[in-house]
Amino acid sequence: MRRFSYFAALDWSGARGSRQRGIALAVASGTGAPELVRPGHIWSRAEILTWLEDVAASGADMLIGFDFSAAFAFADRGAYFPEWDASPDTLPALWALVERLTASDPHYEIGGFLTHPEARRHFRHAQGDVGDLFAPGTGRLRVVEKHQRATKQAASVSNFNLIGAAQVGKASLTGMRLLHRLHPRLPLWPLDPTPATGPLLVEIYTGVAARAAGVAVGRSKIRDGAVLDMALAEFGSPLAGFRGPISDHASDALLTAAWLRALASDAALWSPSPLTDTLARTEGWTFGII
């Protein structure tokens, strides 16, 4: 079983603008308390990219979880974007398509993709602005998202839905622009073989970590330092020691870094039964969902 020395969790944001208050990055190393990277700093997506590139160059034995989806649904229709002849058929090709259509967007934004006449057909953009190929109801789901719903491990939403507080489509699309730049220097599980040494990326869902820590369903956003410490204690982690209010983005990153450290040695998490080679190439998987 692969062992890591460092565990990082990235809480991500798809919001517009040069800097994102919704981005937080934390690292748990050794047996110490998880710590925020540059606490109080308002990150840009470009700075996160640079940080990840530095990790790749260093060869650090780091497991890095990112809180966005690496892909859209593919298995249900045999395509990410049915009826579009440019629809790719692998994760890296999907990231390349997103990058090609957003190359002129600043700050790793994704307006060029969402306004493309073929791409926009597949998304719910706003109330009253729904693409004609957006699946009725909640929208299309990946296999891992259907599985986590069916097994009640998490309550996922469709990446094709771009409205509402729980939407993750914009964050996923902006994240794909980073993955396009990082791959294959930073390998991604389960798309790539797990390297014997060096860093590895995994997709995470911070709500899974919160549930594992005993945080009640529907109350997974922790905004108090004492509550965060109680959750960290569930993983046998030293306490973060924050007093009073803390942003939910920071607490998500801190708690999930500790969760990765506590659970990464569980072989079952690396071999979920529904995962196939085809899914690994097209849809990926969320680490921690079995």
Side-chain angles (χ1 to χ4, degrees):
M1 188 69 201
R2 170 71 194 277
R3 301 291 180 180
F4 295 91
S5 301
Y6 307 93
F7 303 85
L10 173 62
D11 198 44
W12 189 242
S13 172
R16 297 180 64 183
S18 60
R19 296 189 177 273
Q20 318 300 325
R21 292 187 179 275
I23 292 178
L25 177 63
V27 175
S29 59
T31 58
E35 297 181 348
L36 291 172
V37 179
R38 301 183 69 178
H41 180 67
I42 302 175
W43 289 88
S44 69
R45 286 187 279 262
E47 288 173 333
I48 291 291
L49 175 61
T50 297
W51 188 88
L52 291 168
E53 289 174 330
D54 289 345
V55 170
S58 74
D61 287 320
M62 181 179 291
L63 183 62
I64 307 163
F66 56 83
D67 187 26
F68 58 82
S69 298
F72 293 103
F74 185 96
D76 60 340
R77 300 287 303 278
Y80 299 117
F81 309 111
E83 299 188 27
W84 186 8
D85 58 9
S87 183
D89 59 4
T90 66
L91 286 161
L94 170 63
W95 307 334
L97 173 66
V98 172
E99 177 61 29
R100 178 168 62 83
L101 296 181
T102 58
S104 62
D105 287 303
H107 316 307
Y108 299 101
E109 294 175 7
I110 36 80
F113 182 84
L114 293 176
T115 56
H116 186 278
E118 288 295 333
R120 75 176 328 276
R121 299 177 68 192
H122 299 268
F123 293 86
R124 176 189 282 144
H125 299 267
Q127 295 291 347
D129 183 7
V130 182
D132 63 300
L133 294 178
F134 179 82
T138 59
R140 295 169 60 201
L141 296 170
R142 296 186 297 163
V143 170
V144 67
E145 293 157 354
K146 292 178 181 177
H147 179 69
Q148 62 194 28
R149 280 188 168 199
T151 56
K152 301 188 185 304
Q153 295 181 70
S156 57
V157 297
S158 173
N159 293 326
F160 291 101
N161 175 45
L162 304 178
I163 63 174
Q167 69 87 13
V168 293
K170 294 176 182 176
S172 297
L173 283 163
T174 56
M176 289 176 196
R177 296 194 67 184
L178 265 67
L179 293 175
H180 173 71
R181 287 162 171 76
L182 292 167
H183 191 264
R185 288 175 297 155
L186 266 180
L188 170 66
W189 177 88
L191 172 66
D192 303 304
T194 300
T197 61
L200 178 67
L201 290 168
V202 292
E203 177 186 319
I204 55 172
Y205 183 17
T206 57
V208 171
R211 288 192 185 186
V215 180
V217 176
R219 298 182 180 180
S220 61
K221 295 301 181 184
I222 297 174
R223 298 181 175 89
D224 180 82
V227 176
L228 172 62
D229 278 349
M230 287 190 291
L232 287 170
E234 291 295 315
F235 299 137
S237 171
L239 309 183
F242 285 87
R243 297 290 178 263
I246 182 173
S247 80
D248 57 294
H249 306 295
S251 65
D252 278 350
L254 289 161
L255 184 62
T256 307
W259 172 80
L260 281 171
R261 179 173 59 188
L263 275 294
S265 60
D266 185 347
L269 299 184
W270 297 95
S271 302
S273 56
L275 179 61
T276 65
D277 290 343
T278 298
L279 284 177
R281 290 193 305 271
T282 57
E283 290 194 354
W285 198 261
T286 307
F287 185 76
I289 300 297
I290 57 174

